[in-house]
Amino acid sequence: MVEQQIERAKEHFGVLIREQLERIERMKVQSDFTDFKTKKEIIIGIAGGDGIGPFITAEAQRILEFLLAADVEAGHVVIKVIDGLTIEKRAACGKAIPDDVLEELKTCDVILKGPTTTPREGDPWPNIESANVAMRRELDLFANVRPVSVPEKNIDWVFYRENTEGAYALGSKGINVNDDLAIDFTVVTQEGTDRIIKAAFDYAQKSGKNKVTVVTKANIIKTTDGKFLDAAKAISKNYPTVEMDDWYIDIMTAKLIDEKRRSQFKVMVLPNLYGDILTDEAAEFQGGVGTAGSANIGKRYAMFEAVHGSAPRMVDEGRGQYADPCSIIRAVGMLLEHIGYQKKADQLQKSLDICGLYEKRLVLTGRDTGATGAEYANYVMETLSNANLDKVYASYQ
């Protein structure tokens, strides 16, 4: 019996190794990043997701169309609504992303995606894979970029979380060897590690932040985390103007709340699981995960989303229209920056700060005690329309 269990586990592991070796070969032949300056037409896909996703994504889409109205009219930007990325359709076909939806997503250059439900034990849905994880893998969106900015606390962080490897890459492909033993897998490749670390160092150099902090647990998880840290040390030698240091994930979670230390962090690069944990902690300084946007960037495609989940209970309780759209609106700003509209991205960031941090004329509570998402989006667009936006923002600094 034991020998049969071992042979079954070896066969299972062999399949996973073959898949990863094939993925490495595909990475080696990838082209460079899309140059949006040379594109005559930029296609932006809008996928609302489920739960509160359609509510908040609709408001983000309104703001996106407001900011890009001239270019949409001229045909330089095409906004394409993609239906079907719902838990109902995904459960019906038994796939994280239905085939027809995935094909539609692949016709776009960038995607604005609402939250999607990932079933848990006890939910009325089958145990299908996370749509986020599947989309990152299918579109090879290897860099999850999450900025956190709180000027009054001297916090200006940008996290580069590896998106396609680590503990999440094979999270649904572990094996129950027998009733007593379950094993999951974590994956680190040289190609995958090099490209996320290079992306972080490139950003640190171009942005002038000039410091990269590498976060691992390489003292304990020596093979995979050790490979990640070794790659960072090698790559850092090609960036003489960028300082590098490294921290272990456990102490790093503590240092983010250390008022004396946290202002010293600038750009952080880290494997998938650690990035998920640390960016949620970091978002709390900015007002919670409801305020944080997220970019998922590959060489061909990019996807932008809210950090938080789909909150189906809000919809069940009839409160979907009160869901906070700020996170996905911040994601709109990241999308605009990615496709070359830096000035409009800056204006949106300033408007969100005025509305949410300083002026606070409307407050979102998630209930009828506060504003609806539509009312808040109107407030943001009204602020964007102010000819004196820069002066108003400067007055709060």
Side-chain angles (χ1 to χ4, degrees):
M1 176 66 75
V2 172
E3 289 303 318
Q4 289 177 345
Q5 292 171 345
I6 292 172
E7 287 303 314
R8 185 171 66 89
K10 286 164 64 177
E11 181 180 352
H12 182 88
F13 192 40
V15 170
L16 298 182
I17 291 174
R18 183 171 288 106
E19 289 176 353
Q20 293 303 310
L21 290 174
E22 291 171 354
R23 187 175 73 89
I24 290 169
E25 293 306 311
R26 291 196 298 272
M27 283 192 283
K28 288 180 178 180
V29 298
Q30 284 180 335
S31 58
D32 291 332
F33 285 94
T34 299
D35 184 358
F36 287 97
K37 293 179 181 178
T38 65
K39 289 186 70 68
K40 293 182 179 180
E41 181 183 78
I42 300 172
I43 301 176
I44 302 174
I46 310 286
D50 48 54
I52 63 171
F55 292 91
I56 62 174
T57 306
E59 304 311 324
Q61 181 180 344
R62 285 205 298 138
I63 289 174
L64 182 64
E65 291 173 340
F66 175 80
L67 286 165
L68 296 180
D71 281 25
V72 170
E73 179 69 23
H76 179 54
V77 173
V78 175
I79 295 179
K80 181 178 184 180
V81 176
I82 300 172
D83 295 318
L85 197 64
T86 62
I87 185 60
E88 292 81 6
K89 182 168 182 176
R90 292 161 51 222
C93 68
K95 291 188 174 182
I97 304 175
D99 291 341
D100 60 332
V101 175
L102 182 58
E103 289 306 308
E104 285 290 295
L105 292 170
K106 288 182 176 180
T107 66
C108 304
D109 296 298
V110 294
I111 299 152
L112 182 67
K113 176 193 160 293
T116 48
T117 299
T118 301
R120 300 179 298 177
E121 185 176 353
D123 285 352
W125 310 109
N127 185 27
I128 53 176
E129 184 184 28
S130 160
N132 275 11
V133 172
M135 192 178 299
R136 291 164 183 166
R137 182 181 64 247
E138 292 291 341
L139 303 182
D140 200 23
L141 307 177
F142 64 86
N144 182 219
V145 185
R146 295 184 178 182
V148 173
S149 177
V150 189
E152 64 269 26
K153 294 182 179 179
N154 203 21
I155 291 173
D156 184 17
W157 301 328
V158 179
F159 295 86
Y160 273 74
R161 167 192 172 192
E162 204 293 317
N163 232 0
T164 59
E165 300 190 352
Y168 288 6
L170 302 177
S172 62
K173 295 185 178 182
I175 183 171
N176 288 297
V177 178
N178 57 31
D179 290 343
D180 295 319
L181 177 61
I183 296 177
D184 271 315
F185 304 97
T186 187
V187 174
V188 168
T189 69
Q190 194 68 54
E191 294 287 333
T193 299
D194 284 352
R195 66 184 183 178
I196 186 66
I197 293 170
K198 286 178 181 176
F201 273 89
D202 282 344
Y203 174 79
Q205 183 171 266
K206 291 175 182 176
S207 66
K209 293 183 182 295
N210 290 330
K211 183 177 180 181
V212 173
T213 298
V214 184
V215 183
T216 68
K217 191 62 177 172
N219 58 329
I220 303 297
I221 306 175
K222 296 182 182 295
T223 303
T224 50
D225 280 24
K227 189 176 190 67
F228 196 96
L229 181 56
D230 287 345
K233 290 177 179 178
I235 288 169
S236 69
K237 295 176 182 178
N238 298 323
Y239 297 84
T241 63
V242 179
E243 178 187 353
M244 177 196 144
D245 64 356
D246 72 278
W247 290 75
Y248 298 135
I249 179 61
D250 46 354
I251 191 63
M252 190 68 185
T253 60
K255 289 305 172 185
L256 284 192
I257 62 174
D258 182 341
E259 294 183 3
K260 295 179 181 179
R261 174 71 70 172
R262 66 189 182 202
S263 63
Q264 298 175 20
F265 300 118
K266 303 298 180 185
V267 180
M268 285 161 268
V269 62
L270 55 179
N272 207 330
L273 174 60
Y274 307 150
D276 195 5
I277 295 168
L278 214 60
T279 53
D280 279 5
E281 179 193 11
E284 284 299 308
F285 290 100
Q286 193 171 259
V289 293
T291 67
S294 175
N296 301 268
I297 297 171
K299 291 187 175 181
R300 166 66 179 85
Y301 301 101
M303 181 266 282
F304 301 83
E305 61 178 341
V307 170
H308 58 73
S310 59
R313 188 174 67 178
M314 286 191 70
V315 179
D316 293 342
E317 294 174 355
R319 296 188 288 117
Q321 69 270 34
Y322 295 103
D324 186 344
C326 289
S327 179
I328 199 164
I329 295 172
R330 287 191 185 275
V332 167
M334 299 177 75
L335 185 155
L336 290 168
E337 182 178 6
H338 183 72
I339 63 175
Y341 291 87
Q342 184 64 58
K343 184 175 180 181
K344 291 184 183 298
D346 291 343
Q347 290 174 328
L348 181 55
Q349 177 68 47
K350 289 176 181 178
S351 296
L352 284 166
D353 285 350
I354 290 170
C355 295
L357 296 177
Y358 305 126
E359 194 174 85
K360 298 182 181 179
R361 199 169 74 228
L362 291 181
V363 177
L364 292 153
T365 65
R367 300 180 180 276
D368 59 9
T369 54
T372 65
E375 289 169 338
Y376 204 85
N378 290 339
Y379 178 28
V380 173
M381 287 187 282
E382 177 188 332
T383 305
L384 279 166
S385 300
N386 188 340
N388 296 315
L389 173 61
D390 290 341
K391 290 182 179 179
V392 172
Y393 182 78
S395 70
Y396 290 109
Q397 303 308 297

